[in-house]
């Protein structure tokens, strides 16, 4: 069957994707590591624990580490409970993301959760980002604080990806919704992707634009992953055939943001969002076409950072918001 036939199968599978609330996603099956994933890089810095369902990824002076899903997926719901390293974590990035950069080097797609470390006494930050069709020149980053310490305990981070929307969740609270628009064209991720998790040294950019780097006297930095959920239509990389092996449980997958969740999402963004590409007047004189400008959001961010969001003159050069890049680039760095 060609890719077209696989897409038909996939859209039939979507008929099962109906659930009244995101809390029901806890009903999705949690798979052992070996059933869904394989080590990507890092050798002994990747350790499997607790009946094969918890994975520790560590970063030391020698290398970072990471794992990758066995299958490619065209849309679905993907989740992990993650506990981040504590103490001084400047320059450290933990990533939970989807990408097809190994297959489409010049026009890859990507959906990112990136956790950015910090100096002692400062909180971890989350960055979400989306690329489609190699549109890396238009970063779609957003950054946030959190209402908890992600190094104290496990918290759930989830991605819902369909043909029309992408939603990022933290503990089943949606924090960002991206709706596909005509103006985005191929910039909306639309090719099958693999799921990755990594920890790596991003000293050059992750903390205050590279001002604070990884300090290996605090190594090893250990990120813990558990409750791994891979729920989507797997796509055969050769035959391009879509498979929906878990359709019987897919009623637990959310279909979008409910009215109650939307209130939570708006409250989260109002309290915790510190950066959005849509409002960055230093990078974009005109916001990218898919941006919907919220006047209250614009004013709050402008007061938070008048230069970036107010279009004023920056004294010390431009702040850069980079994504971690493709899995192949990461692995090559170690």
């Amino acid at each position: 069957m060609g890719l077209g036939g696989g897409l038909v199968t996939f859209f039939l599978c979507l008929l099962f994707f109906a659930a009244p609330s995101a809390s029901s996603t806890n009903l999705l099956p949690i798979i052992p590591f070996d059933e869904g994933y394989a080590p990507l890089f890092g050798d002994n810095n990747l350790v499997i624990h607790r009946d094969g369902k918890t994975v520790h990824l560590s970063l030391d002076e020698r290398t970072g580490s990471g794992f990758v899903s066995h299958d490619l997926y065209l849309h679905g719901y993907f989740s992990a409970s993650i506990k981040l390293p504590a103490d001084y974590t400047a320059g450290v990035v933990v990533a939970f993301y989807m990408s097809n950069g190994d297959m489409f080097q010049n026009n890859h797609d990507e959906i990112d959760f990136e956790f950015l470390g910090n100096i002692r006494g400062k909180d971890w930050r989350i960055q979400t980002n989306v690329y489609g069709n190699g549109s890396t020149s238009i970063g779609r980053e957003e950054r946030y604080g959190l209402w908890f310490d992600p190094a104290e305990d496990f918290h759930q981070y989830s991605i819902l990806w369909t043909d029309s929307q992408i939603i990022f969740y933290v503990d089943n609270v949606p924090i960002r919704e991206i709706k596909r628009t005509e103006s985005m064209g191929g910039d909306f991720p639309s090719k099958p992707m693999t799921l990755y998790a990594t920890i790596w040294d991003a000293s050059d950019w992750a903390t205050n634009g590279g001002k604070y780097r990884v300090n290996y006297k605090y190594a090893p930095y250990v990120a813990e992953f558990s409750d791994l959920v891979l729920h989507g239509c797997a796509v055969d990389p050769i035959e391009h055939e879509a498979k929906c092996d878990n359709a019987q449980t897919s009623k637990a997958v959310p279909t979008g943001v409910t009215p109650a969740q939307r209130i939570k999402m708006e409250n989260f963004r109002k309290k915790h969002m510190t950066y959005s590409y849509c409002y960055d007047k230093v990078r974009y004189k005109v916001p990218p076409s898919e941006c919907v400008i919220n006047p209250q959001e614009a004013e709050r961010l402008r007061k938070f950072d008048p230069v970036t969001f107010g279009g004023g003159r920056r004294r010390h050069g431009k702040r850069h918001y980079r994504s971690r890049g493709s899995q192949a680039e990461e692995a090559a760095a170690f």
Side-chain angles (χ1 to χ4, degrees), residues 20 47 83 122 158 178 186 227 257 263 283 303 311 320 322:
V47 180
K83 183 180 179 183
K122 299 291 185 180
S158 311
I178 301 168
D227 298 342
V257 179
I263 292 172
R283 292 172 72 193
K303 289 181 178 178
H320 294 283
R322 275 188 46 187

Side-chain angles (χ1 to χ4, degrees), residues 30-31 50 53-54 79-81 154 156 225-229:
I30 294 168
I31 63 171
R50 213 183 74 194
K53 294 184 178 180
T54 296
S79 183
S81 291
F154 286 92
Q156 185 182 21
F225 289 76
S226 67
D227 298 342
L228 301 171
V229 173

